[in-house]
Amino acid sequence: MDFKKLASLYKDELLDNVLPFWLEHSQDHEYGGYFTCLDREGKVFDTDKFIWLQSREVWMFSMLYNKVENRQEWLDCAIQGGEFLKKYGHDGDYNWYFSLDRSGRPLVEPYNIFSYTFATMAFGQLSLATGNQEYADIARKTFDIILSKVNNPKGKWNKLHPGTRNLKNFALPMILCNLALEIEHLLDENYLRETMETCIHEVMEVFYRPELGGIIVENVDIDGSLVDCFEGRQVTPGHAIEAMWFIMDLGKRLNRPELIEKAKETTLTILNYGWDKKYGGVYYFMDRNGCPPQQLEWDQKLWWVHIETLISLLKGYQLTGDKRCLEWFEKVHDYTWEHFKDKEYPEWYGYLNRRGEVLLPLKGGKWKGCFHVPRGLFQCWKTLEDLMNYK
């Protein structure tokens, strides 16, 4: 495998194709923030603003400014989005709304914990890029609120009846694994270590299930036991695989090779479990008992699932040398570049049907923004460069 050629492919796609698309089409120069509902060519088809995606774009351009190059256009893009979020994104006490209209008026209440997690990521990176203490304070205050909400992330907006079926979800501890490293410059070492250890335990001891062959389930009972219901049987291969590169990063940071090895093996196990043997690609949702999944979109092939898989496979090979990671990487790389990359217009498709045909030609929407594609291209580029230098 030609690591140098591949590194150039991922780097050029990021810098020459994907980032210019978002810089040109997503910035709202009148009201601030970003448009994320962009059609195939980049035209805006809806002007609502979703806090997840606003925050992710602030984070993306801040991170690239910090780690790739001090380009003024990147910093300007991040700051204008950060200022829009600071002014309109929360209720005054850093409870972050789910969505706003174009001008910044709130549309949906702060029920979604991931509005908080991505706001923390955004202002953490923006504080590094600018040296602005106010941004650092916003990140730290929001992080403290997240930790206070761990046992009931939706708070008063939780629609479940209390006391009957108390499930906890994989997504929050998974995100916190990454978030802890993202804002480690804002946390003291003991607090950081404690947070890391808690997240590692949740992901690799509670949601990871050796009795199911080493897969990760999406929901468990509050006591950690498996539950036989739609949510309790749900497996989300993309979530599980994405979490494994977070765990590998933590294993590297903490110098725990056994943790890296377990995360690598889990990546391979889940990928084999979730791969569509007939049409190729990774399923979106599965049922651990083989029952019909509740999600009607269960067999769709999604952009983020495949891009996160590429990151985990490259990191798995880089950190362990297991050639199975490289074999799978080649297979997933070929599928991803063949099916998700638009060969006529910039940015990538997000949604394919099971057969790998484009289901929606949009480049951004309510859930897809300036995040998984550019982050994945960046991570793969940098990991391939390391492999190239190592080789």
Side-chain angles (χ1 to χ4, degrees):
M1 190 175 286
D2 189 336
F3 293 136
K4 184 176 182 180
K5 185 178 176 183
L6 278 168
S8 292
L9 177 71
Y10 281 87
K11 176 185 179 182
D12 293 347
E13 181 70 10
L14 174 67
L15 298 180
D16 301 338
N17 181 355
V18 171
L19 293 179
F21 173 88
W22 292 103
L23 281 170
E24 179 182 351
H25 298 296
S26 77
Q27 296 191 77
D28 184 348
H29 295 293
E30 184 177 350
Y31 287 96
Y34 315 106
F35 302 116
T36 61
C37 297
L38 303 173
D39 71 8
R40 187 185 180 195
E41 298 176 38
K43 296 188 184 76
V44 178
F45 65 86
D46 195 286
T47 61
D48 286 353
K49 293 172 179 173
F50 308 96
I51 299 300
W52 276 28
L53 300 185
Q54 300 293 307
S55 297
R56 284 172 160 186
E57 191 156 346
V58 172
W59 174 85
M60 180 58 60
F61 282 102
S62 300
M63 183 276 290
L64 292 168
Y65 180 85
N66 291 332
K67 295 186 177 180
V68 176
E69 187 182 334
N70 292 157
R71 292 194 191 183
Q72 191 63 42
E73 63 177 345
W74 292 353
L75 184 61
D76 291 344
C77 180
I79 289 173
Q80 72 89 356
E83 286 296 311
F84 180 81
L85 280 171
K86 185 182 83 174
K87 188 172 182 180
Y88 300 113
H90 58 89
D91 65 357
D93 293 318
Y94 302 109
N95 294 302
W96 296 87
Y97 297 115
F98 178 76
S99 61
L100 316 170
D101 72 4
R102 182 183 176 185
S103 66
R105 293 179 301 176
L107 293 172
V108 178
E109 296 283 11
Y111 81 96
N112 195 299
I113 194 67
F114 302 106
S115 294
Y116 297 70
T117 59
F118 290 112
T120 304
M121 278 176 64
F123 284 100
Q125 278 294 327
L126 193 57
S127 72
L128 281 177
T130 61
N132 185 325
Q133 184 60 41
E134 185 184 14
Y135 295 153
D137 292 343
I138 292 171
R140 180 56 203 261
K141 286 172 185 172
T142 304
F143 186 68
D144 288 341
I145 294 170
I146 294 167
L147 295 184
S148 75
K149 290 163 70 74
V150 163
N151 291 327
N152 184 15
K154 293 186 179 182
K156 65 183 178 181
W157 297 284
N158 194 333
K159 64 185 178 183
L160 297 178
H161 185 79
T164 305
R165 184 183 288 157
N166 293 320
L167 298 180
K168 62 178 179 177
N169 181 265
F170 175 67
L172 184 55
M174 163 203 161
I175 288 288
L176 288 174
C177 287
N178 183 236
L179 191 55
L181 286 176
E182 277 290 329
I183 61 164
E184 64 175 306
H185 61 287
L186 302 177
L187 306 175
D188 71 68
E189 183 65 20
N190 290 337
Y191 188 64
L192 178 65
R193 287 267 175 166
E194 185 182 328
T195 304
M196 288 177 177
E197 293 298 339
T198 300
C199 295
I200 291 167
H201 168 74
E202 286 287 304
V203 171
M204 303 306 286
E205 305 296 336
V206 178
F207 290 93
Y208 170 85
R209 309 305 293 205
E211 74 272 33
L212 298 177
I215 63 171
I216 285 173
V217 296
E218 194 71 11
N219 297 284
V220 295
D221 193 271
I222 201 75
D223 66 5
S225 61
L226 294 171
V227 180
D228 188 6
C229 64
F230 277 124
E231 293 81 8
R233 294 191 303 268
Q234 181 180 325
V235 176
T236 313
H239 254 176
I241 293 170
E242 180 182 2
M244 290 308 100
W245 73 259
F246 298 166
I247 294 290
M248 289 183 218
D249 281 357
L250 286 173
K252 186 177 177 183
R253 168 75 167 72
L254 298 169
N255 193 25
R256 288 174 55 180
E258 78 290 345
L259 186 61
I260 294 169
E261 179 67 23
K262 186 175 179 181
K264 179 264 296 178
E265 283 297 324
T266 305
T267 297
L268 294 171
T269 297
I270 295 164
L271 182 51
N272 187 61
Y273 177 85
W275 187 259
D276 184 343
K277 309 298 191 290
K278 184 173 182 181
Y279 293 105
V282 183
Y283 289 118
Y284 190 11
F285 296 111
M286 301 178 76
D287 185 292
R288 62 179 170 82
N289 287 350
C291 302
Q294 68 170 322
Q295 296 89 354
L296 303 181
E297 67 274 26
W298 69 273
D299 64 348
Q300 287 178 21
K301 310 295 166 59
L302 268 68
W303 83 106
W304 68 267
V305 173
H306 294 77
I307 291 165
E308 298 300 332
T309 299
L310 290 171
I311 301 170
S312 286
L313 290 168
L314 277 182
K315 285 181 182 272
Y317 178 71
Q318 177 197 23
L319 295 169
T320 71
D322 190 327
K323 287 191 167 56
R324 292 176 297 163
C325 292
L326 221 48
E327 291 163 7
W328 262 114
F329 173 80
E330 192 167 14
K331 190 173 182 178
V332 179
H333 166 91
D334 288 347
Y335 181 92
T336 303
W337 282 79
E338 174 61 30
H339 292 88
F340 288 102
K341 177 174 166 56
D342 184 342
K343 295 169 181 62
E344 289 184 55
Y345 296 99
E347 245 290 342
W348 291 19
Y349 298 120
Y351 302 89
L352 312 176
N353 65 19
R354 184 181 174 188
R355 293 183 297 276
E357 300 158 342
V358 176
L359 189 64
L360 293 169
L362 57 79
K363 297 299 176 58
K366 186 174 179 176
W367 308 108
K368 183 180 188 292
C370 181
F371 188 63
H372 286 286
V373 173
R375 183 178 74 167
L377 293 169
F378 169 79
Q379 286 285 343
C380 289
W381 159 33
K382 288 301 182 182
T383 308
L384 286 160
E385 269 194 351
D386 289 345
L387 287 167
M388 188 174 76
N389 298 331
Y390 176 75
K391 197 177 178 184

